[in-house]
Amino acid sequence: MPPRPAFFEFGTRNFVCNSCLSALRKRSPVTPSLWIRHSSEAAHAHAPKRAKPRSPEQEAERRKTLAALGLLKKGSSEKPTVNFFNQSETGEIHQVADEQEFSRSLNDPGGEIDSRLKELEEHILSVSDIADDFKKMGDKAEDAEEEGGEGEADKRGQQSTQDTGTNADDLVDELDNESGSFLAIPIFGLQGNRQDRVHRLNNWLRRCNKLLGRNDIRPKDIQGLWKAYSSARPNMSRRWHAVPAASWDVLWRTLSADHSFNVNRMAHIYVLAKDMQQCNVPLRPDQQLLTLEAMFEDGWHEEAIDNHRRHVSTLGANPETFVAFWQLGLQMYCRVGDLQRAERMAGIILESPHDVDPRFVQPLIKLCAETPTAVETGFKLYRGLRARLGDSMTIEDYDKIISYFLASGNTEHALFIFVDMMMSGSIDLVGAKQYPPNIANPFFFGKWLKRLIGTGDLEGALGVLRFMRSRGVTPRPIQVNGLIGAWLRSGTADNVEKAEDVGWAMINTRIQFVELRRRQASTPSIHLYPSGDSWPRASLETFCLLAENYKERGLSAKMTSLWHSFQDAEIAPDSFMLNQLLSSLVQDGKADIILPTYQEMIRRFDMKPDSHTFLSLWRALPVNQFTKIQPPNIETEISRTRALFAEMVRQAANIKANRDPDMDNGVARNILHSFRKLSDQAGLLLAYRVLRRVFDYSPPDMVVFEILLGTLGLERLARRREGSKLIQARMNLDHYLAHRHRELVQAGEINDGEEMPPYVRINEAGNFLELQLEAIFAENEGENAQRLAIEAAVEMGLQSEASAED
């Protein structure tokens, strides 16, 4: 009779690792006979030569000599003397008294068992003493009742309790400290690191046992216990019989805890179940089901299914595990694509008298949707599920089933389910040759697209768009733009490629429409119709999405093509499209054509620039490029910088209408440093005054110090020897603010002892920088300061030439 197979037949992977294969290839063949001969010769060469046996006369002489020296004991000829030695953990060797003590040292190294037994004896004696005390208390209480009634008994009972209460509490604490002793895995027979690993595992078992009682298991506890178990597992594999059953229970309850943070739950269960089977620890029915699931999740699909079949008569017939067992089988067969057996599992569950959640058929619906010949079966299963759930069917249930059909390309069935969800079953499209108007319109489909894009099902949204076009429903540009934006935000290469393909298809539709409109105007008697794949016409948002993506990726060539297409599309542009184009040109190093491009856009389309536009223009100036300006060209660059500032002054109304505080601060900082780098002190002073009074700019302390110290890197300056300059500038600003604080207190604008309000301090710091710039300009230019300031004001558009001559 063949032996009974194990409860679970775990699979084994039969393979040889690469390192072993390489070692086997490198191993040179050895002739067995030669090896045997050489080894025999070596053994004979090193073996000690056997002494010749002594003659009786020699033995008698030897014993006489030993007796004379006092080394011959009585009876030594009958029984030889044996000395026993033991080696401690420190490596010291000492002699053991007799054979009994030597045997005890082998069975109990270090005397741990003896010490443990003594502790237990002491605890037992303590408990017996307390029991005697309580017995005496009971006797005294009975005597007191007989003598003085219940009052006297209560009095004496309280006194006795006070006398013995301290000892009882101490004993309870000691017993609590020893409460985890039943979990301890024995460590006798182990030494060094092996003993430490098992001891560490025991500590984690005690800790997790307490946390399980409080239901307070955390991720670090599961990780710590698994790490300790994995470390001690090789040592315990040689002595599984020594692991207590309670330890296996704590390991299972902790490592199989169904928490979201226990991401390696199934892998832990699979290893733990294998070890418990080797230890012959019986698994409960629920543990057996988890083991089957873990085996399947670990990749042993055939083995898990075979074990599932073997337990049909046990777990499959047990009322406690019936539903879970057959649902697990359904899920496994659906995962491997066995539709026939999956349907059989579902039929068994449906025909059973047990209560079950109807949602168990969702894996089967997914499998049917993925099988071309069973799509209708899957849709019927959905209708049956909807009928059983009724009003309890949630939107999440609908979304999940819709995703099954969309992922498999069955968009029409997905539409039927979406209509059921939106119309509560009042409209049935199954078998309809033409959809009603309230369904076949871009607004209804737009709701579906919005939901799919919101849930991240971009591939499903693309399938819905294709289905709309196949049914003659043209989507709105805003709906397609939403999908293009989602594709571009994902950042994946496939999605970006899809976004570009759809975006350019919409652009081509727009250009075709413009061309047809032009031809129709020239030949009104001829009616022209567009041709193509019925994508909607691109809008300004379509161009902006592609332009922003090309700018971020630095694709200037595609940006140029997009700009030419934008001109052919005849869409009224806005500043955003212009800003993306200019920024892309700056990144591509084409600073010389930025200003002409800007001027052409303003002239042709009457666009209204904003602060983003001028940030690109200021960055394109040669003074802000990584080029050194030669002295003969400085005057030319100063004139160019002043002219750009004059253009900014002319567009002040548009800039202030579209204010962006962060961008405004960046532009202002760029302007001030542009004049500073050119040493244009007149232009710097006037530009700063205009920024403050016209554009409401208030510089932070960092910009104040940068302008005064002439640097863009205050941190680098602080680490050098010039760091004292920064300290002096800070002291000058603090001195000025303290002086102004006293003046404001005297003027009654703020109270004495009150700090300067933040907005007042920012304004005073700006006044400090303006005073410093005025002083520097007057000191360097002297009598020419007035004339140079007027010339700069004319070039910067702050004063007309006629008023300057007056």
Side-chain angles (χ1 to χ4, degrees), residues 5-52:
F7 184 80
F8 284 105
E9 294 180 356
F10 293 92
T12 57
R13 293 184 172 93
N14 298 320
F15 63 89
V16 182
C17 63
N18 293 329
S19 60
C20 295
L21 287 175
S22 60
L24 290 174
R25 296 191 192 100
K26 295 179 180 178
R27 184 178 298 175
S28 59
V30 181
T31 305
S33 59
L34 293 177
W35 184 84
I36 295 173
R37 185 175 67 251
H38 290 312
S39 62
S40 301
E41 293 176 358
H44 286 299
H46 294 284
K49 296 181 179 180
R50 182 178 297 176
K52 296 180 180 180

Short mmCIF file of all heavy atoms in Angstrom, two decimals, residues 5-52:
data_model
loop_
_atom_site.label_atom_id
_atom_site.label_comp_id
_atom_site.label_asym_id
_atom_site.label_seq_id
_atom_site.Cartn_x
_atom_site.Cartn_y
_atom_site.Cartn_z
N PRO A 5 -0.15 10.54 1.12
CA PRO A 5 0.53 11.80 0.78
C PRO A 5 0.34 12.84 1.87
O PRO A 5 -0.55 12.74 2.70
CB PRO A 5 -0.16 12.22 -0.53
CG PRO A 5 -1.50 11.56 -0.48
CD PRO A 5 -1.30 10.27 0.27
N ALA A 6 1.21 13.85 1.83
CA ALA A 6 1.13 14.94 2.81
C ALA A 6 -0.16 15.72 2.60
O ALA A 6 -0.81 15.64 1.56
CB ALA A 6 2.33 15.86 2.67
N PHE A 7 -0.55 16.49 3.63
CA PHE A 7 -1.80 17.26 3.54
C PHE A 7 -1.76 18.21 2.36
O PHE A 7 -2.70 18.33 1.60
CB PHE A 7 -2.01 18.03 4.84
CG PHE A 7 -3.31 18.77 4.86
CD1 PHE A 7 -4.48 18.11 5.15
CD2 PHE A 7 -3.36 20.11 4.55
CE1 PHE A 7 -5.68 18.79 5.15
CE2 PHE A 7 -4.56 20.79 4.55
CZ PHE A 7 -5.72 20.11 4.87
N PHE A 8 -0.62 18.92 2.20
CA PHE A 8 -0.42 19.78 1.05
C PHE A 8 0.82 19.32 0.33
O PHE A 8 1.87 19.13 0.95
CB PHE A 8 -0.24 21.25 1.47
CG PHE A 8 -1.52 21.91 1.86
CD1 PHE A 8 -1.80 22.14 3.19
CD2 PHE A 8 -2.43 22.28 0.91
CE1 PHE A 8 -2.98 22.75 3.56
CE2 PHE A 8 -3.62 22.89 1.28
CZ PHE A 8 -3.89 23.13 2.60
N GLU A 9 0.71 19.13 -0.96
CA GLU A 9 1.85 18.76 -1.76
C GLU A 9 2.44 20.04 -2.35
O GLU A 9 1.97 20.56 -3.35
CB GLU A 9 1.45 17.79 -2.87
CG GLU A 9 0.98 16.43 -2.34
CD GLU A 9 0.60 15.50 -3.46
OE1 GLU A 9 0.63 15.93 -4.64
OE2 GLU A 9 0.28 14.34 -3.18
N PHE A 10 3.45 20.60 -1.68
CA PHE A 10 4.08 21.82 -2.13
C PHE A 10 5.00 21.50 -3.30
O PHE A 10 5.72 20.50 -3.30
CB PHE A 10 4.88 22.48 -1.01
CG PHE A 10 4.02 23.01 0.09
CD1 PHE A 10 3.71 22.23 1.19
CD2 PHE A 10 3.49 24.28 0.00
CE1 PHE A 10 2.92 22.72 2.20
CE2 PHE A 10 2.70 24.79 1.01
CZ PHE A 10 2.41 24.00 2.12
N GLY A 11 5.00 22.36 -4.29
CA GLY A 11 5.85 22.15 -5.46
C GLY A 11 7.29 22.45 -5.17
O GLY A 11 7.64 23.15 -4.22
N THR A 12 8.16 21.87 -5.97
CA THR A 12 9.59 22.13 -5.87
C THR A 12 10.09 22.55 -7.22
O THR A 12 9.72 21.97 -8.25
CB THR A 12 10.37 20.89 -5.39
OG1 THR A 12 10.10 19.83 -6.29
CG2 THR A 12 9.94 20.49 -3.99
N ARG A 13 10.95 23.51 -7.23
CA ARG A 13 11.53 23.99 -8.48
C ARG A 13 12.85 23.23 -8.73
O ARG A 13 13.80 23.36 -7.96
CB ARG A 13 11.80 25.50 -8.41
CG ARG A 13 10.51 26.32 -8.34
CD ARG A 13 10.84 27.81 -8.35
NE ARG A 13 9.65 28.61 -8.48
CZ ARG A 13 8.96 29.09 -7.46
NH1 ARG A 13 9.37 28.83 -6.25
NH2 ARG A 13 7.89 29.82 -7.65
N ASN A 14 12.88 22.39 -9.77
CA ASN A 14 14.05 21.58 -10.09
C ASN A 14 14.95 22.37 -11.04
O ASN A 14 14.67 22.49 -12.22
CB ASN A 14 13.62 20.27 -10.75
CG ASN A 14 12.76 19.43 -9.82
OD1 ASN A 14 13.05 19.38 -8.63
ND2 ASN A 14 11.73 18.78 -10.35
N PHE A 15 15.98 22.96 -10.48
CA PHE A 15 16.94 23.69 -11.31
C PHE A 15 18.28 23.72 -10.58
O PHE A 15 18.38 23.45 -9.39
CB PHE A 15 16.47 25.11 -11.60
CG PHE A 15 16.33 25.96 -10.40
CD1 PHE A 15 17.40 26.71 -9.93
CD2 PHE A 15 15.13 26.02 -9.69
CE1 PHE A 15 17.27 27.49 -8.81
CE2 PHE A 15 15.01 26.80 -8.57
CZ PHE A 15 16.08 27.54 -8.13
N VAL A 16 19.35 24.02 -11.34
CA VAL A 16 20.70 24.18 -10.80
C VAL A 16 21.13 25.60 -11.09
O VAL A 16 21.00 26.07 -12.22
CB VAL A 16 21.67 23.17 -11.42
CG1 VAL A 16 23.05 23.33 -10.82
CG2 VAL A 16 21.16 21.75 -11.23
N CYS A 17 21.62 26.28 -10.07
CA CYS A 17 21.99 27.69 -10.25
C CYS A 17 23.23 27.80 -11.14
O CYS A 17 23.99 26.84 -11.32
CB CYS A 17 22.23 28.36 -8.91
SG CYS A 17 23.60 27.66 -8.00
N ASN A 18 23.45 28.99 -11.67
CA ASN A 18 24.56 29.22 -12.60
C ASN A 18 25.91 29.01 -11.94
O ASN A 18 26.86 28.52 -12.57
CB ASN A 18 24.47 30.63 -13.18
CG ASN A 18 23.26 30.79 -14.07
OD1 ASN A 18 22.84 29.83 -14.70
ND2 ASN A 18 22.70 31.99 -14.13
N SER A 19 26.05 29.41 -10.68
CA SER A 19 27.34 29.25 -10.00
C SER A 19 27.71 27.78 -9.86
O SER A 19 28.87 27.39 -10.06
CB SER A 19 27.29 29.93 -8.63
OG SER A 19 26.29 29.34 -7.84
N CYS A 20 26.74 26.92 -9.54
CA CYS A 20 27.03 25.49 -9.42
C CYS A 20 27.36 24.88 -10.78
O CYS A 20 28.24 24.03 -10.89
CB CYS A 20 25.84 24.77 -8.80
SG CYS A 20 25.52 25.27 -7.11
N LEU A 21 26.64 25.34 -11.83
CA LEU A 21 26.95 24.82 -13.16
C LEU A 21 28.36 25.16 -13.59
O LEU A 21 29.09 24.34 -14.16
CB LEU A 21 25.94 25.38 -14.17
CG LEU A 21 24.51 24.79 -14.11
CD1 LEU A 21 23.61 25.53 -15.08
CD2 LEU A 21 24.54 23.32 -14.43
N SER A 22 28.76 26.42 -13.31
CA SER A 22 30.12 26.82 -13.69
C SER A 22 31.16 26.04 -12.90
O SER A 22 32.21 25.67 -13.41
CB SER A 22 30.30 28.32 -13.46
OG SER A 22 30.09 28.63 -12.11
N ALA A 23 30.86 25.77 -11.62
CA ALA A 23 31.80 25.00 -10.82
C ALA A 23 31.92 23.57 -11.33
O ALA A 23 33.00 22.96 -11.34
CB ALA A 23 31.37 25.01 -9.36
N LEU A 24 30.79 22.99 -11.77
CA LEU A 24 30.83 21.63 -12.31
C LEU A 24 31.60 21.57 -13.62
O LEU A 24 32.30 20.59 -13.90
CB LEU A 24 29.40 21.13 -12.53
CG LEU A 24 28.59 20.85 -11.25
CD1 LEU A 24 27.16 20.51 -11.61
CD2 LEU A 24 29.22 19.72 -10.46
N ARG A 25 31.48 22.64 -14.43
CA ARG A 25 32.22 22.62 -15.69
C ARG A 25 33.72 22.73 -15.46
O ARG A 25 34.52 22.14 -16.17
CB ARG A 25 31.75 23.79 -16.58
CG ARG A 25 30.28 23.67 -17.01
CD ARG A 25 29.98 24.69 -18.09
NE ARG A 25 28.55 24.79 -18.31
CZ ARG A 25 27.78 25.74 -17.82
NH1 ARG A 25 28.31 26.68 -17.06
NH2 ARG A 25 26.48 25.77 -18.09
N LYS A 26 34.13 23.55 -14.47
CA LYS A 26 35.55 23.76 -14.22
C LYS A 26 36.20 22.59 -13.51
O LYS A 26 37.43 22.48 -13.48
CB LYS A 26 35.74 25.04 -13.38
CG LYS A 26 35.31 26.31 -14.10
CD LYS A 26 35.49 27.53 -13.23
CE LYS A 26 35.07 28.79 -13.95
NZ LYS A 26 35.20 29.97 -13.07
N ARG A 27 35.44 21.72 -12.88
CA ARG A 27 36.02 20.62 -12.11
C ARG A 27 36.66 19.61 -13.06
O ARG A 27 36.03 19.10 -13.97
CB ARG A 27 34.94 19.95 -11.27
CG ARG A 27 35.47 18.85 -10.36
CD ARG A 27 34.36 18.29 -9.52
NE ARG A 27 33.79 19.32 -8.67
CZ ARG A 27 32.72 19.09 -7.91
NH1 ARG A 27 32.14 17.91 -7.93
NH2 ARG A 27 32.25 20.06 -7.17
N SER A 28 37.92 19.34 -12.85
CA SER A 28 38.66 18.41 -13.73
C SER A 28 38.35 16.98 -13.33
O SER A 28 38.26 16.65 -12.14
CB SER A 28 40.16 18.68 -13.62
OG SER A 28 40.58 18.52 -12.29
N PRO A 29 38.23 16.08 -14.31
CA PRO A 29 37.95 14.67 -13.98
C PRO A 29 39.13 14.00 -13.32
O PRO A 29 40.29 14.27 -13.64
CB PRO A 29 37.64 14.05 -15.35
CG PRO A 29 38.36 14.92 -16.33
CD PRO A 29 38.34 16.31 -15.76
N VAL A 30 38.82 13.15 -12.37
CA VAL A 30 39.86 12.44 -11.62
C VAL A 30 39.59 10.97 -11.74
O VAL A 30 38.46 10.51 -11.55
CB VAL A 30 39.86 12.87 -10.14
CG1 VAL A 30 40.96 12.13 -9.39
CG2 VAL A 30 40.05 14.37 -10.03
N THR A 31 40.63 10.20 -12.03
CA THR A 31 40.48 8.75 -12.14
C THR A 31 40.31 8.16 -10.76
O THR A 31 41.15 8.37 -9.87
CB THR A 31 41.72 8.15 -12.81
OG1 THR A 31 41.91 8.81 -14.06
CG2 THR A 31 41.54 6.65 -13.02
N PRO A 32 39.22 7.43 -10.50
CA PRO A 32 38.98 6.92 -9.15
C PRO A 32 40.09 6.04 -8.64
O PRO A 32 40.49 6.13 -7.49
CB PRO A 32 37.66 6.17 -9.30
CG PRO A 32 37.00 6.75 -10.50
CD PRO A 32 38.11 7.13 -11.41
N SER A 33 40.61 5.19 -9.51
CA SER A 33 41.64 4.27 -9.03
C SER A 33 42.90 4.99 -8.59
O SER A 33 43.51 4.66 -7.57
CB SER A 33 41.98 3.26 -10.14
OG SER A 33 42.45 3.96 -11.30
N LEU A 34 43.27 6.04 -9.38
CA LEU A 34 44.46 6.79 -8.98
C LEU A 34 44.21 7.51 -7.67
O LEU A 34 45.09 7.58 -6.80
CB LEU A 34 44.81 7.82 -10.07
CG LEU A 34 45.29 7.21 -11.40
CD1 LEU A 34 45.52 8.33 -12.41
CD2 LEU A 34 46.56 6.39 -11.20
N TRP A 35 42.99 8.07 -7.50
CA TRP A 35 42.71 8.80 -6.25
C TRP A 35 42.77 7.86 -5.06
O TRP A 35 43.30 8.18 -4.01
CB TRP A 35 41.33 9.44 -6.34
CG TRP A 35 41.01 10.26 -5.14
CD1 TRP A 35 41.37 11.54 -4.90
CD2 TRP A 35 40.29 9.82 -3.99
NE1 TRP A 35 40.92 11.94 -3.69
CE2 TRP A 35 40.25 10.91 -3.09
CE3 TRP A 35 39.70 8.61 -3.63
CZ2 TRP A 35 39.62 10.83 -1.86
CZ3 TRP A 35 39.07 8.55 -2.40
CH2 TRP A 35 39.03 9.64 -1.53
N ILE A 36 42.24 6.69 -5.24
CA ILE A 36 42.26 5.72 -4.13
C ILE A 36 43.67 5.31 -3.81
O ILE A 36 44.07 5.21 -2.65
CB ILE A 36 41.39 4.49 -4.50
CG1 ILE A 36 39.92 4.91 -4.63
CG2 ILE A 36 41.55 3.38 -3.47
CD1 ILE A 36 39.03 3.81 -5.16
N ARG A 37 44.49 5.10 -4.86
CA ARG A 37 45.85 4.67 -4.61
C ARG A 37 46.65 5.75 -3.90
O ARG A 37 47.35 5.50 -2.92
CB ARG A 37 46.52 4.29 -5.93
CG ARG A 37 47.93 3.72 -5.72
CD ARG A 37 48.54 3.22 -7.01
NE ARG A 37 48.81 4.31 -7.94
CZ ARG A 37 48.13 4.52 -9.05
NH1 ARG A 37 47.14 3.72 -9.38
NH2 ARG A 37 48.43 5.52 -9.85
N HIS A 38 46.54 7.00 -4.40
CA HIS A 38 47.30 8.08 -3.77
C HIS A 38 46.86 8.32 -2.34
O HIS A 38 47.67 8.58 -1.45
CB HIS A 38 47.13 9.37 -4.59
CG HIS A 38 47.82 9.29 -5.92
ND1 HIS A 38 49.12 8.86 -6.07
CD2 HIS A 38 47.36 9.59 -7.18
CE1 HIS A 38 49.46 8.89 -7.37
NE2 HIS A 38 48.39 9.33 -8.06
N SER A 39 45.55 8.29 -2.11
CA SER A 39 45.07 8.51 -0.76
C SER A 39 45.52 7.40 0.17
O SER A 39 45.85 7.64 1.34
CB SER A 39 43.54 8.61 -0.76
OG SER A 39 42.98 7.40 -1.22
N SER A 40 45.58 6.17 -0.33
CA SER A 40 46.04 5.07 0.52
C SER A 40 47.49 5.22 0.86
O SER A 40 47.92 5.02 2.01
CB SER A 40 45.80 3.73 -0.20
OG SER A 40 44.43 3.58 -0.50
N GLU A 41 48.30 5.62 -0.15
CA GLU A 41 49.72 5.82 0.14
C GLU A 41 49.92 6.95 1.14
O GLU A 41 50.76 6.84 2.04
CB GLU A 41 50.44 6.13 -1.17
CG GLU A 41 50.47 4.94 -2.14
CD GLU A 41 51.10 5.33 -3.45
OE1 GLU A 41 51.44 6.52 -3.60
OE2 GLU A 41 51.24 4.46 -4.33
N ALA A 42 49.19 8.02 1.00
CA ALA A 42 49.34 9.13 1.95
C ALA A 42 48.94 8.69 3.34
O ALA A 42 49.57 9.07 4.34
CB ALA A 42 48.49 10.32 1.50
N ALA A 43 47.89 7.90 3.42
CA ALA A 43 47.45 7.45 4.74
C ALA A 43 48.51 6.55 5.39
O ALA A 43 48.80 6.68 6.59
CB ALA A 43 46.13 6.71 4.62
N HIS A 44 49.12 5.68 4.61
CA HIS A 44 50.16 4.81 5.17
C HIS A 44 51.40 5.60 5.54
O HIS A 44 52.07 5.28 6.52
CB HIS A 44 50.53 3.72 4.16
CG HIS A 44 49.48 2.65 4.04
ND1 HIS A 44 49.10 1.84 5.10
CD2 HIS A 44 48.70 2.27 2.97
CE1 HIS A 44 48.15 0.99 4.71
NE2 HIS A 44 47.88 1.25 3.42
N ALA A 45 51.67 6.65 4.78
CA ALA A 45 52.90 7.42 5.09
C ALA A 45 52.77 8.17 6.39
O ALA A 45 53.75 8.34 7.13
CB ALA A 45 53.20 8.39 3.94
N HIS A 46 51.54 8.70 6.68
CA HIS A 46 51.35 9.52 7.88
C HIS A 46 50.83 8.71 9.06
O HIS A 46 50.72 9.25 10.16
CB HIS A 46 50.36 10.65 7.58
CG HIS A 46 50.90 11.64 6.59
ND1 HIS A 46 51.84 12.59 6.92
CD2 HIS A 46 50.65 11.79 5.25
CE1 HIS A 46 52.15 13.31 5.84
NE2 HIS A 46 51.43 12.84 4.81
N ALA A 47 50.47 7.48 8.88
CA ALA A 47 49.93 6.68 9.99
C ALA A 47 51.05 6.32 10.96
O ALA A 47 52.17 5.99 10.56
CB ALA A 47 49.29 5.41 9.45
N PRO A 48 50.78 6.38 12.28
CA PRO A 48 51.83 6.03 13.25
C PRO A 48 52.12 4.54 13.19
O PRO A 48 51.24 3.72 12.97
CB PRO A 48 51.20 6.43 14.60
CG PRO A 48 49.74 6.39 14.35
CD PRO A 48 49.53 6.77 12.92
N LYS A 49 53.38 4.23 13.39
CA LYS A 49 53.78 2.83 13.37
C LYS A 49 53.31 2.13 14.63
O LYS A 49 53.45 2.65 15.74
CB LYS A 49 55.30 2.72 13.27
CG LYS A 49 55.85 3.30 11.96
CD LYS A 49 57.36 3.15 11.89
CE LYS A 49 57.89 3.71 10.58
NZ LYS A 49 59.37 3.57 10.49
N ARG A 50 52.74 0.94 14.48
CA ARG A 50 52.19 0.18 15.59
C ARG A 50 53.33 -0.44 16.43
O ARG A 50 54.26 -1.04 15.88
CB ARG A 50 51.26 -0.92 15.07
CG ARG A 50 50.59 -1.72 16.16
CD ARG A 50 49.66 -2.76 15.57
NE ARG A 50 48.60 -2.08 14.84
CZ ARG A 50 47.67 -2.74 14.13
NH1 ARG A 50 47.69 -4.07 14.08
NH2 ARG A 50 46.73 -2.09 13.47
N ALA A 51 53.24 -0.23 17.74
CA ALA A 51 54.28 -0.78 18.63
C ALA A 51 54.13 -2.29 18.77
O ALA A 51 53.02 -2.83 18.72
CB ALA A 51 54.19 -0.12 20.00
N LYS A 52 55.27 -2.94 19.00
CA LYS A 52 55.25 -4.40 19.16
C LYS A 52 54.69 -4.74 20.53
O LYS A 52 54.89 -4.02 21.50
CB LYS A 52 56.66 -4.97 19.04
CG LYS A 52 57.26 -4.77 17.66
CD LYS A 52 58.65 -5.37 17.61
CE LYS A 52 59.27 -5.17 16.22
NZ LYS A 52 60.63 -5.76 16.16
#
